[in-house]
C-alpha cells in the first residue's frame, strides 16, 4: 500500500511538473495536480502520521484542486485552503519544536513579510487583505519551523522550500505579465519546490 501510494504521488507529480503545469485548466490537469499531494495525505494517514500533518496535506490537496481551476473564486478557495494548511503546520511544528528560534533567521523572515508590502501588496487588487493574511501565516509557519530540533532539519528545509514556492507563485500571479516567457521556467520550478517541501516535511515527521 505504501509503495503504491508513493508511486501514484511520484508519477502524478512528474506528470504535472513536466507537462500539465504548462496546460490550460482541464479535469485531467486538476486530477493530476490534486493526486500528487492527495496521495501523500492518504500515505500519511495510513502510516500513522500526526493528525495535523494529515490535515495539512489534505488541505493542500484541496488548495491544489482549487488553484488548478480558473477564476477569482477558485483562487480564493485555494488561498483559504492553503492558509488553513499553514495553520496546521504551525501547530505541528510548534508541538514538535523546542526552545527559541535563532535570531538572524527570525529577523530575515520578518523582513520578508514587511517587504511584501512593497513588492506584492500594491499589485494584488481586491485580494490585498487575503494575501496579507496569507503572508503572515507563511511567516509564522517559518518561525515555528525554526524551533524544530536538529533531528527534524529536513522538515525545516521543507518549510523553507514551501516559502520559496509561495513566493514564486506570488510573482507569477501578481507581478509577471501573462505573456512573459518566464512562466515556462517559474511553473515547473515552483512545483518542484512545493512538492519537494511537502515530501520533505512528511519524510522528516515520519522518520
Amino acid at each position: 500500500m505504501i509503495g503504491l501510494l508513493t508511486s501514484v504521488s511520484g508519477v502524478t507529480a512528474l506528470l504535472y511538473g513536466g507537462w500539465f503545469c504548462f496546460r490550460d485548466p482541464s479535469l485531467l490537469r486538476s486530477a493530476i495536480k490534486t493526486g500528487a499531494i492527495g496521495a501523500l495525505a492518504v500515505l500519511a494517514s495510513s502510516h500513522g502520521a500526526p493528525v495535523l500533518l494529515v490535515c495539512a496535506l489534505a488541505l493542500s490537496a484541496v488548495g491544489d484542486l482549487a488553484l488548478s481551476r480558473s477564476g477569482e473564486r477558485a483562487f480564493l478557495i485555494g488561498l483559504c485552503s492553503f492558509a488553513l494548511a499553514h495553520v496546521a503546520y504551525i501547530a505541528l511544528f510548534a508541538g514538535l519544536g523546542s526552545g527559541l528560534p535563532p535570531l538572524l533567521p527570525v529577523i530575515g523572515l520578518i523582513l520578508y513579510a514587511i517587504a511584501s508590502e512593497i513588492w506584492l501588496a500594491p499589485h494584488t487588487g481586491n485580494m490585498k487583505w487575503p494575501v496579507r493574511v496569507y503572508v503572515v501565516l507563511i511567516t509564522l509557519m517559518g518561525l515555528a519551523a525554526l524551533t524544530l530540533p536538529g533531528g527534524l532539519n529536513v522538515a525545516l528545509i521543507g518549510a523553507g522550500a514551501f516559502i520559496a514556492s509561495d513566493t514564486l507563485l506570488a510573482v507569477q500571479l501578481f507581478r509577471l505579465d501573462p505573456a512573459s516567457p518566464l512562466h515556462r521556467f517559474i511553473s515547473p520550478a515552483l512545483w518542484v519546490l512545493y512538492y519537494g517541501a511537502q515530501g520533505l516535511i512528511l519524510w522528516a515527521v515520519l522518520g
Side-chain angles (χ1 to χ4, degrees):
M1 184 67 170
I2 292 175
L4 175 62
L5 290 169
T6 303
S7 297
V8 169
S9 179
V11 169
T12 51
L14 285 172
L15 285 172
Y16 185 80
W19 176 257
F20 284 97
C21 70
F22 304 115
R23 304 298 101 194
D24 293 330
S26 67
L27 290 177
L28 180 58
R29 181 178 182 270
S30 296
I32 293 293
K33 186 176 186 182
T34 307
I37 301 301
L40 291 185
V42 177
L43 173 61
S45 178
S46 65
H47 206 62
V51 173
L52 287 169
L53 177 57
V54 176
C55 288
L57 291 168
L59 286 163
S60 296
V62 173
D64 284 334
L65 175 61
L67 293 182
S68 71
R69 312 308 297 168
S70 300
E72 188 174 289
R73 181 173 177 270
F75 174 76
L76 188 58
I77 293 172
L79 191 71
C80 291
S81 295
F82 275 110
L84 291 173
H86 283 306
V87 170
Y89 274 132
I90 290 167
L92 176 68
F93 295 155
L96 296 173
S98 59
L100 295 174
L103 182 59
L104 287 180
V106 168
I107 293 174
L109 278 172
I110 292 173
L111 289 176
Y112 163 84
I114 294 172
S116 71
E117 277 297 305
I118 300 171
W119 70 268
L120 179 59
H123 305 275
T124 53
N126 59 358
M127 299 298 294
K128 183 176 293 185
W129 277 104
V131 169
R132 280 173 170 160
V133 172
Y134 190 82
V135 169
V136 170
L137 288 174
I138 64 171
T139 302
L140 290 174
M141 186 272 292
L143 293 173
L146 287 171
T147 68
L148 292 172
L152 290 174
N153 278 338
V154 172
L156 176 58
I157 295 171
F162 214 144
I163 294 172
S165 71
D166 280 338
T167 302
L168 282 181
L169 181 60
V171 170
Q172 186 178 53
L173 290 175
F174 299 113
R175 296 303 310 269
L176 208 58
D177 189 301
S180 173
L182 289 177
H183 285 287
R184 295 199 63 84
F185 300 98
I186 290 180
S187 292
L190 73 86
W191 177 254
V192 169
L193 286 167
Y194 164 71
Y195 181 78
Q198 301 276 28
L200 288 172
I201 294 169
L202 175 61
W203 179 26
V205 175
L206 289 182

